[in-house]
Amino acid sequence: ITIDPSTEYSIACWDFPEEWIGGTWYMRAGPGMYCRPVLNPPIYFDTNTTQLANPVVPLPAVGSGGLEVIDQQKNESSGQEFILLNGLDHDICTQLPDIMYEEDPPVFGQTPDGMWLQFDPRYDVEENTAENPLRDGGGTRTLISNGLAQCSNVRRNVFNEHGCILSREPTTCKGTSDNLFIPIGLNAENIVAIHEITGTYPYAVMNLPLGGDDNAPIVSPCIKGTKTRWEILPENECVQTDMDTQTYNVLSSVLRQTQDDNSFVRDIVFPSNGASCSADYADSLEEVSMILGNQCFKRGHPEHLSVFDLTLCTREENPCTLDLSNGDHPVKSPLDNDGNAFFDYQGQDNVFWDDQLSRLTKIGRLGDTIMFKDLPNNMRLA
């Protein structure tokens, strides 16, 4: 079919798509239009693909006793679905999420002959009977699923007393999932503590170039609907940017009126109506510092002082293309050697932020308070 870029398409008007090559799915070309069947096309991977969010899992050969075709006689996919009969014991497995959510990036595997397969997650059903109860009452699953899975232990009664056990597991369910809602302040001390406890590498990232790695044109903070981030500094660490009274008053008003109460950064959205900078500055402001009282608000990169999990960049294959020639690992060293919770991007010899951002997990902003359940899986379950 021919796709018109100006048309809004919707997928699966009714029924679920058949997830194999040549399978049928349904598409509606615009509101009110009839659904039409479309055949599922093959997807070809470039052998040089390096931008997959998860590492590629090496799979055994088909028919080797480890990876087998699902019964073709009962499956319309005609041999395009496979089952891994035994779990894999590979270092890459530790880099994958313990549980897959609908919005998570897919996991791909490749067989020795170069065939690509996509992991299709299924429910993991565990035995939990009076004779053989789960030792933690489902507590681990509750943590992994952010509370979507509920505790499965019950009080002792006449029906289960013969199989009751006293659990000493640290994740044991208590009938509620209160642990999921423990608040965690994203400050330097807690970032270092998370690293020491979990072995991961969370950092507050600083000094990202305002225009990105490619020095793209910088949008003025006066453009209607534009979101900008401002670092809060002492007054004596800034120089007020030259601007006229109208522009100063408008920007200072937006900064003061925002509901954002973070003590390190302030995110604002310029109003879509009712306010405007003067014509001389509406489009030309880029790097801006504003003195308000005894504070300075300095514009920064949209992710300046955001806390990211940079564990991806510590992998042996060096996916972030870091310069490792001087012996100290740019990501490992600040936390491992100095207990430093800040990653200074300005000091990096090789740029990687724009290319790898989609693969990095954002935890929040320095100064935010999040819930334990909102930590990435590799931190929450360590």
Side-chain angles (χ1 to χ4, degrees):
I1 63 172
T2 301
I3 300 295
D4 181 359
S6 64
T7 301
E8 178 182 342
Y9 295 89
S10 59
I11 298 175
C13 310
W14 62 78
D15 208 353
F16 291 101
E18 297 175 340
E19 298 177 342
W20 54 82
I21 298 173
T24 301
W25 55 282
Y26 293 88
M27 179 179 68
R28 177 183 284 120
M33 300 297 289
Y34 289 106
C35 283
R36 56 179 297 185
V38 181
L39 297 182
N40 214 7
I43 298 175
Y44 296 97
F45 281 85
D46 186 337
T47 55
N48 297 318
T49 296
T50 58
Q51 296 303 310
L52 296 176
N54 291 306
V56 178
V57 178
L59 296 171
V62 177
S64 61
L67 186 67
E68 299 293 338
V69 178
I70 293 177
D71 190 351
Q72 296 186 41
Q73 300 301 319
K74 298 181 179 180
N75 196 310
E76 297 180 11
S77 64
S78 301
Q80 295 174 29
E81 290 188 304
F82 302 83
I83 185 170
L84 188 65
L85 299 177
N86 302 299
L88 297 174
D89 183 13
H90 198 284
D91 291 342
I92 284 180
C93 296
T94 63
Q95 302 170 23
L96 300 174
D98 294 273
I99 188 170
M100 298 288 293
Y101 296 95
E102 186 176 357
E103 65 273 14
D104 285 345
V107 174
F108 292 97
Q110 195 171 26
T111 59
D113 62 359
M115 180 173 63
W116 288 88
L117 298 175
Q118 179 178 337
F119 174 57
D120 188 11
R122 290 289 189 266
Y123 286 111
D124 184 10
V125 181
E126 294 186 289
E127 181 181 354
N128 184 39
T129 61
E131 292 73 23
N132 187 29
L134 289 173
R135 299 202 65 84
D136 67 352
T140 299
R141 296 298 177 187
T142 301
L143 291 174
I144 289 176
S145 66
N146 271 351
L148 295 177
Q150 300 296 307
C151 290
S152 53
N153 51 355
V154 297
R155 294 181 181 275
R156 181 176 179 176
N157 56 59
V158 297
F159 301 105
N160 66 13
E161 60 181 358
H162 63 283
C164 271
I165 58 173
L166 177 62
S167 178
R168 302 185 185 276
E169 302 291 330
T171 58
T172 298
C173 270
K174 301 175 183 178
T176 63
S177 301
D178 293 342
N179 288 345
L180 294 173
F181 299 97
I182 296 175
I184 299 174
L186 290 182
N187 53 48
E189 181 181 0
N190 284 343
I191 291 173
V192 173
I194 290 172
H195 163 69
E196 292 175 346
I197 294 171
T198 66
T200 57
Y201 290 86
Y203 280 103
V205 181
M206 57 189 297
N207 292 327
L208 292 163
L210 195 56
D213 290 334
D214 297 329
N215 291 318
I218 301 169
V219 177
S220 168
C222 293
I223 301 296
K224 296 182 184 300
T226 297
K227 182 178 180 180
T228 50
R229 175 163 295 183
W230 304 71
E231 182 179 5
I232 305 172
L233 299 167
E235 176 189 4
N236 60 1
E237 293 189 17
C238 287
V239 176
Q240 169 67 45
T241 300
D242 183 37
M243 64 185 70
D244 62 13
T245 302
Q246 177 183 343
T247 301
Y248 176 86
N249 288 341
V250 168
L251 285 177
S252 61
S253 175
V254 177
L255 283 166
R256 287 192 176 104
Q257 293 176 11
T258 178
Q259 299 299 310
D260 190 351
D261 59 358
N262 187 292
S263 57
F264 294 95
V265 293
R266 191 68 48 82
D267 288 337
I268 65 171
V269 178
F270 198 84
S272 297
N273 50 59
S276 62
C277 299
S278 68
D280 293 336
Y281 293 93
D283 298 320
S284 59
L285 280 180
E286 295 181 357
E287 298 185 21
V288 190
S289 295
M290 302 276 297
I291 303 294
L292 302 181
N294 62 353
Q295 292 181 315
C296 169
F297 291 80
K298 182 179 180 181
R299 185 185 181 187
H301 184 279
E303 297 295 357
H304 178 62
L305 292 183
S306 286
V307 180
F308 279 86
D309 179 11
L310 299 188
T311 308
L312 167 79
C313 298
T314 66
R315 292 179 184 171
E316 187 174 343
E317 66 269 26
N318 193 16
C320 298
T321 62
L322 300 170
D323 183 3
L324 306 177
S325 59
N326 65 358
D328 287 334
H329 195 287
V331 172
K332 292 182 177 180
S333 180
L335 276 170
D336 286 349
N337 300 338
D338 305 320
N340 184 2
F342 296 88
F343 181 78
D344 189 352
Y345 189 74
Q346 192 174 39
Q348 302 308 306
D349 294 324
N350 293 336
V351 297
F352 66 85
W353 189 260
D354 290 350
D355 287 340
Q356 299 298 332
L357 178 59
S358 63
R359 305 176 67 190
L360 301 174
T361 301
K362 181 177 177 179
I363 303 171
R365 303 174 302 175
L366 185 70
D368 283 347
T369 297
I370 65 171
M371 297 299 159
F372 176 79
K373 71 181 185 65
D374 295 321
L375 287 172
N377 277 347
N378 59 332
M379 297 179 184
R380 196 173 68 247
L381 303 174

